[in-house]
Amino acid sequence: MSDKFYTNKFGVKVLKEGTKPFQIFTIETINLEFLLIYILFAESSKEDLNDKKEFLKVLYENNGDDGLIKFLESEKSDMIFSAKSYEKYFEQMAYTRITDNILSYFKDILVEVIKSKPQILKSKEKEPLDYIFSFNNMEDLIEDITEKNIEKLFYGSINDIKKFFTDRLGIQLFENEIVEKNFEQFIKQRNLIVHNRGIISKEFAKDFSNEHVTYNPGNILVFSYENLSNINGAMTNLIVDLDLKISEKFKLETVKL
């Protein structure tokens, strides 16, 4: 067992002390886990169900649509109050939040690293004088340049992010090609949800179908709640390893978790 972290019963690494960006990442991760649990246990009792139906009947009565009232009076309307009916939407919203949590950590930790070593941003790119002299001090200038560079980086590809970590930080972001491929798929699935309602594209199907799983264009990405929890855990393990490497190399301030 490492003196830096332990592994819980679910195979997820739990860091004992980490950077401030990692602390924020961890709080978000825990909240996401509890969100999944909340959704799983969000079913109404029969008594609550009847009260909710009565509320909706009063809300929609006299709106000229008697069909809706009749529907609410039938057992078929039970589906409205079932978490299972909205599983696709809950899953996709939770998935995108997990992804955004990872990307936000990357951005936050890079800000911390650049604060400790601004030379990392050194390049041959030139900034106009009017931009430079618009700042009152060097700290504000560095902060703005940092923000611009990081935003630009995360509009790029996974390769751009990996190259930045390797070339500028001297840190290998992925331990092997399998982890890198999985992370690429992780991000592209998020893009399909955000930009394509979760519908699998021909390009995605071609890039990620293999002997274990086949993705068919036109199908919708589906995640079980258990699957989402496993993804959350796998991404946490990736970030734990990364946080340890970065905090040790750049002597970043850490906090007890």
Side-chain angles (χ1 to χ4, degrees):
M1 180 182 291
S2 170
D3 61 342
K4 302 288 186 181
F5 65 87
Y6 66 91
T7 303
N8 66 20
K9 63 182 286 186
F10 303 107
V12 179
K13 295 176 181 177
V14 180
L15 201 54
K16 299 176 181 177
E17 195 171 297
T19 62
K20 289 180 179 178
F22 184 83
Q23 182 184 42
I24 296 170
F25 166 82
T26 300
I27 292 170
E28 180 76 0
T29 298
I30 292 170
N31 285 338
L32 283 165
E33 282 292 325
F34 281 123
L35 170 65
L36 295 176
I37 293 170
Y38 173 79
I39 293 170
L40 279 173
F41 290 101
E43 300 295 336
S44 300
S45 67
K46 196 67 179 176
E47 291 76 17
D48 289 340
L49 200 59
N50 290 332
D51 289 342
K52 290 173 181 176
K53 286 186 178 185
E54 286 302 316
F55 173 80
L56 287 179
K57 283 165 65 178
V58 172
L59 182 65
Y60 287 106
E61 67 181 355
N62 301 322
N63 74 340
D65 186 1
D66 292 337
L68 177 59
I69 302 301
K70 290 179 180 178
F71 174 71
L72 289 169
E73 290 173 345
S74 70
E75 289 188 0
K76 290 182 179 179
S77 64
D78 289 2
M79 62 176 289
I80 295 175
F81 306 96
S82 170
K84 189 73 177 174
S85 298
Y86 310 102
E87 189 172 23
K88 177 182 73 174
Y89 301 103
F90 284 135
E91 291 166 355
Q92 292 185 355
M93 286 188 292
Y95 188 93
T96 56
R97 190 72 181 195
I98 291 170
T99 316
D100 290 343
N101 190 30
I102 294 286
L103 295 177
S104 293
Y105 168 81
F106 282 153
K107 293 177 183 179
D108 292 346
I109 198 66
L110 285 177
V111 168
E112 292 296 309
V113 169
I114 293 167
K115 280 182 183 177
S116 72
K117 193 175 180 182
Q119 299 88 341
I120 285 172
L121 288 180
K122 186 176 179 181
S123 71
K124 294 181 179 179
E125 292 183 17
K126 296 180 180 180
E127 298 287 356
L129 288 176
D130 59 342
Y131 167 75
I132 293 172
F133 286 113
S134 67
F135 296 91
N136 295 323
N137 53 62
M138 184 62 71
E139 287 76 18
D140 290 345
L141 173 61
I142 291 173
E143 183 179 346
D144 197 73
I145 291 176
T146 299
E147 185 176 336
K148 283 203 310 179
N149 276 269
I150 290 175
E151 287 300 321
K152 180 180 177 182
L153 174 65
F154 281 86
Y155 276 117
S157 65
I158 298 301
N159 282 334
D160 294 329
I161 298 172
K162 183 181 74 170
K163 190 173 187 302
F164 186 93
F165 271 83
T166 303
D167 296 350
R168 299 296 184 95
L169 275 63
I171 286 178
Q172 186 176 337
L173 189 55
F174 307 110
E175 62 182 48
N176 55 52
E177 290 183 2
I178 294 175
V179 174
E180 182 177 349
K181 185 73 172 179
N182 288 341
F183 189 81
E184 182 184 3
Q185 180 174 347
F186 173 68
I187 297 298
K188 289 192 174 181
Q189 286 180 162
R190 177 259 185 193
N191 293 342
L192 286 179
I193 293 170
V194 173
H195 302 296
N196 204 40
R197 295 187 182 132
I199 300 171
I200 296 170
S201 65
K202 290 180 180 179
E203 180 184 9
F204 181 92
K206 179 182 177 182
D207 289 345
F208 298 106
S209 292
N210 54 50
E211 65 271 22
H212 304 296
V213 60
T214 300
Y215 293 101
N216 295 312
N219 285 358
I220 295 176
L221 289 170
V222 176
F223 312 94
S224 68
Y225 294 122
E226 182 181 0
N227 186 220
L228 287 171
S229 184
N230 290 337
I231 291 170
N232 213 13
M235 290 300 109
T236 296
N237 287 345
L238 174 69
I239 297 304
V240 165
D241 292 341
L242 185 60
D243 202 70
L244 284 171
K245 290 178 190 176
I246 292 178
S247 61
E248 289 174 5
K249 180 166 185 175
F250 294 97
K251 304 294 186 288
L252 300 181
E253 180 184 352
T254 58
V255 294
K256 289 185 184 284
L257 303 170

